[in-house]
């Protein structure tokens, strides 16, 4: 078997962040579980933030996160880059700067050549270099299904974090990458068609978006990943006690996303996202539009409460109403 003939997505039962455990299910599992707590745990489990943040000496905060998933694209190098950009993103989503990452690898040694694994790791290393983050070592296991990601440690100013619980009524909501990689990845997995625009979007770092959000004085943000825009927005509004009004027509999509939806490439994860948010949703748009808004993203952009230069405003935060998310 030559390495170029391998279609990595065929070794994945789920796909990317769409293989996440459904949001409601995960909340049931962790409810009531508490580890060590204290004033130095600045961001913990409570609000479903992107990373844990702990205050350490010298007025610094350490940001810790891990993310890994099964192949979302067939190409090993691209998958490595996407997984790394996605793992680093949770540090950026907290307003931090990644400093060191370690690889997390599951690899079917008997099924797939180790040259392919090398390509995956090369992708991760290249994105780490671009981010100015050391990638050193890690952990690997023999696994019937390939998995790759990183545990990332970053640093942040504890007074300037981007949290889930800090949204304030009266501010706009900005989105720094278009949506649609979920349906496009799903189509890629089914047909082998390659979507360069989706790969470019997923491999792009959220570093500049994070820096721009902090520079604009933002205090609330999250990245849009497996729970989709609606899911992540709901979590932020719930944590902040506010409502988001989304202007569906202002939300940008990658070329091909609407066609992929029309042709039926909606993942089970996306449908679960919408089911989960629906009781907290009031909508004036079609079911198809809601599915696009709930599309499970991999390495999506930042959803920032505030204005980010260059990023479209997709809605606004208002005082809490009956529904946590309103779509118009
Ligand atoms: Co995240
Ligand atoms: Co994550």
């Amino acid at each position: 078997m030559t390495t170029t003939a391998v279609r990595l997505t065929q070794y994945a039962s789920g796909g990317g962040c769409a293989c996440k455990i459904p949001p409601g299910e995960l909340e049931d599992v962790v409810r009531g579980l508490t580890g060590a707590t204290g004033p130095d745990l600045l961001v913990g489990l409570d609000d479903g933030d992107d990373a844990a943040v702990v205050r350490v000496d010298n007025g610094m905060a350490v940001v810790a996160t891990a993310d890994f998933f099964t192949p979302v694209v067939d190409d090993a190098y691209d998958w490595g880059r996407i997984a790394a950009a996605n793992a680093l993103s949770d540090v950026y989503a907290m307003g931090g700067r990644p400093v060191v990452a370690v690889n997390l690898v599951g690899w079917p040694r008997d099924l797939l050549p180790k040259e392919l694994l090398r390509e995956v790791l090369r992708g991760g290393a290249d994105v780490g270099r671009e981010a100015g983050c050391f990638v050193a070592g890690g952990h690997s296991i023999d696994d019937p299904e390939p998995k790759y990601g990183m545990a990332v440690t970053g640093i942040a100013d504890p007074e300037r974090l981007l949290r889930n619980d800090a949204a304030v009524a009266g501010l706009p909501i900005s989105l720094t990458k278009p949506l649609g990689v979920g349906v496009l990845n799903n189509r890629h997995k089914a047909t082998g068609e390659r979507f360069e625009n989706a790969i470019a979007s997923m491999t792009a770092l959220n570093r500049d978006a994070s820096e721009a959000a902090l520079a604009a004085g933002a205090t609330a943000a999250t990245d849009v990943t497996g729970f989709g825009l609606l899911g992540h927005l709901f979590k932020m509004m719930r944590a902040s006690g506010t409502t988001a009004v989304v202007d569906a027509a202002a939300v940008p999509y990658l070329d091909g996303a609407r066609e992929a939806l029309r042709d039926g490439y909606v993942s089970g994860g996306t449908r679960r996202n919408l089911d989960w948010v629906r009781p907290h949703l009031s909508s004036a748009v079609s079911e198809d539009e809601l599915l696009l808004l709930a599309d499970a993203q991999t390495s999506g952009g930042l959803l920032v409460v505030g204005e980010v230069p260059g990023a479209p405003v997709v809605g606004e935060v208002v005082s809490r109403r009956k529904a946590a998310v309103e779509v118009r």
Side-chain angles (χ1 to χ4, degrees):
M1 177 161 49
T2 66
T3 53
T4 48
V6 173
R7 290 198 55 209
L8 273 179
T9 56
Q10 305 309 301
Y11 294 82
S13 58
C17 287
C19 63
K20 267 183 162 177
I21 293 175
E25 207 173 304
L26 194 60
E27 287 179 351
D28 287 345
V29 170
V30 299
R31 185 167 297 122
L33 291 179
T34 44
T37 56
D40 287 334
L41 181 63
L42 301 179
V43 179
L45 257 182
D46 298 355
D47 294 321
D49 269 281
D50 300 292
V53 183
V54 177
R55 191 196 311 272
V56 292
D57 294 344
N58 308 321
M60 296 282 295
V62 168
V63 183
T65 180
D67 224 304
F68 62 94
F69 44 71
T70 54
V72 287
V73 293
D74 288 330
D75 185 85
Y77 177 70
D78 287 341
W79 178 40
R81 292 195 298 149
I82 291 164
N86 177 74
L88 293 165
S89 173
D90 277 331
V91 174
Y92 295 128
M94 296 307 303
R97 179 169 68 83
V99 292
V100 62
V102 292
N103 292 305
L104 303 172
V105 176
W107 197 254
R109 293 174 54 249
D110 298 336
L111 286 176
L112 291 172
K114 58 181 184 301
E115 289 75 18
L116 266 189
L117 174 56
R118 189 181 157 75
E119 281 299 285
V120 175
L121 294 171
R122 187 170 70 85
D126 280 358
V127 166
R129 188 178 311 112
E130 187 191 344
C133 174
F134 295 112
V135 179
H139 182 67
S140 55
I141 58 165
D142 194 352
D143 189 331
E145 194 179 44
K147 298 180 184 80
Y148 177 60
M150 288 175 167
V152 187
T153 302
I155 53 174
D157 177 346
E159 307 301 328
R160 297 181 75 209
L161 296 173
L162 299 172
R163 310 171 58 105
N164 270 9
D165 64 359
V168 177
L171 291 178
I173 301 167
S174 303
L175 177 66
T176 69
K177 286 184 188 178
L179 302 182
V181 299
V183 279
L184 290 176
N185 285 348
N186 219 13
R187 182 169 204 145
H188 169 70
K189 180 177 177 174
T191 68
E193 290 166 88
R194 219 181 122 86
F195 298 100
E196 299 299 339
N197 57 347
I199 289 168
S201 178
M202 290 185 286
T203 54
L205 292 176
N206 280 330
R207 174 186 52 200
D208 295 354
S210 174
E211 287 173 0
L214 287 172
T219 56
T222 189
D223 56 354
V224 183
T225 55
F227 304 150
L229 180 138
L230 287 183
H232 290 283
L233 192 55
F234 166 57
K235 279 171 55 165
M236 196 156 46
M237 294 303 108
R238 187 178 59 178
S240 300
T242 48
T243 286
V245 181
V246 177
D247 176 6
V251 176
Y253 290 94
L254 289 166
D255 285 347
R258 287 186 183 278
E259 291 77 4
L261 174 89
R262 179 198 64 204
D263 296 344
Y265 296 104
V266 175
S267 69
T270 292
R271 293 186 190 283
R272 284 194 294 273
N273 288 342
L274 184 51
D275 289 345
W276 179 59
V277 175
R278 206 185 294 273
H280 315 281
L281 185 70
S282 108
S283 163
V285 301
S286 69
E287 186 72 7
D288 274 0
E289 209 63 33
L290 289 179
L291 283 169
L292 280 175
L293 289 169
D295 188 44
Q297 304 297 283
T298 299
S299 193
L302 296 188
L303 194 55
V304 179
V305 176
E307 238 174 296
V308 179
V313 169
V314 298
E316 62 170 328
V317 180
V318 298
S319 300
R320 184 58 198 262
R321 298 179 187 162
K322 189 157 173 288
V325 179
E326 293 181 5
V327 181
R328 290 179 181 167

